[in-house]
Amino acid sequence: MSEVAVTGISVLLVDDHPIVRQGYRRVLESQDDLHVVAEADNATDAYAAFKTHDPDVVVMDISMPGASGLEAIRNIRARNPRARVLVFTMHNEAVLVKAAFNAGASGFVTKSSAPSAVVSAIRGVARGERTISDDIAHVLADDSLSAGSALDQLGEREIEILRQFAGGATSEQIATHLNLSVKTVQNYHYLIKTKIGARTDAQLVRLAAACGLTKI
């Protein structure tokens, strides 16, 4: 990925709500050093836009139709390990924050943050810093003092498959969303149940719901 140019920071905005994108595009472009070069509303288009525009920072929501932002981050970072992705989402569950960083995110701020905090986070991520909003700092601090979640032992791909399964997607639909074979998805399903000790799919769904995965 190219270094941040002296003329400013190029940004790819990824969110499935046009009004959110429009609002934050105005906020970002009111800053002399921030320039939105592309937008996307799903994980597939986000990856394509990243390949085309090579932005300095990707501002990525987690919740999108089909594959989530976690999968988009994973794909973008697989293409370019130096890519800088700032998660910008309404979700603040510890399991999702950790999954996003495991996928390769550089920062995580929630949509309850002030616009100035988002702008500051983008600049920080562009400089190579790891940036989180105050509420996320509190979430991670609380999580570190607790027993954690049964989902902590799952990788980001397993979290994504569990999220979709708990949301009602079939193995065939998940395979399509993630460009996997149905057999691979079924193998992941079995591995997830084994790792977290769930005997039934109902237990799996209840645990996913308790950890906030079904809210995405």
Side-chain angles (χ1 to χ4, degrees):
M1 189 181 72
S2 59
E3 295 297 321
V4 178
V6 292
T7 54
I9 300 166
S10 58
V11 178
L12 165 61
L13 274 179
V14 185
D15 193 293
D16 66 327
H17 293 97
I19 292 177
V20 172
R21 295 199 311 273
Q22 291 168 11
Y24 271 87
R25 183 173 194 133
R26 287 195 294 269
V27 169
L28 300 187
E29 293 192 334
S30 69
Q31 308 295 312
D32 291 340
D33 60 333
L34 303 180
H35 310 287
V36 177
V37 294
E39 299 180 14
D41 63 4
N42 60 73
T44 300
D45 288 351
Y47 181 63
F50 178 82
K51 290 193 296 181
T52 299
H53 297 279
D54 191 26
D56 296 313
V57 177
V58 181
V59 178
M60 176 82 67
D61 193 6
I62 289 288
S63 180
M64 290 184 287
S68 75
L70 295 177
E71 185 69 8
I73 296 168
R74 184 177 179 275
N75 288 333
I76 286 171
R77 289 278 294 185
R79 177 178 176 84
N80 185 345
R82 294 177 297 151
R84 293 163 181 169
V85 183
L86 174 67
V87 173
F88 178 54
T89 183
M90 64 180 289
H91 302 287
N92 65 355
E93 294 80 7
V95 65
L96 294 175
V97 178
K98 289 184 285 187
F101 280 117
N102 288 338
S106 304
F108 199 114
V109 296
T110 60
K111 289 182 178 177
S112 60
S113 304
S116 59
V118 180
V119 169
S120 178
I122 292 172
R123 290 173 177 148
V125 166
R127 290 191 298 267
E129 300 169 3
R130 175 164 288 196
T131 307
I132 57 175
S133 53
D134 290 342
D135 52 345
I136 293 302
H138 293 149
V139 166
L140 292 179
D142 289 343
D143 183 74
S144 69
L145 296 174
S146 70
S149 163
L151 304 188
D152 285 347
Q153 56 196 310
L154 301 182
E156 65 273 10
R157 171 55 67 86
E158 293 164 334
I159 291 288
E160 173 65 11
I161 288 174
L162 175 56
R163 180 195 73 81
Q164 294 197 34
F165 174 76
T170 65
S171 295
E172 290 77 11
Q173 289 170 326
I174 297 172
T176 298
H177 294 159
L178 303 183
N179 294 315
L180 299 173
S181 70
V182 173
K183 180 64 174 176
T184 297
V185 172
Q186 292 170 340
N187 288 341
Y188 268 118
H189 185 179
Y190 174 78
L191 182 61
I192 291 166
K193 289 175 71 173
T194 300
K195 280 188 173 183
I196 65 180
R199 295 188 300 275
T200 67
D201 286 347
Q203 285 182 314
L204 209 57
V205 172
R206 284 197 296 271
L207 182 55
C211 292
L213 293 186
T214 55
K215 298 177 184 178
I216 303 179

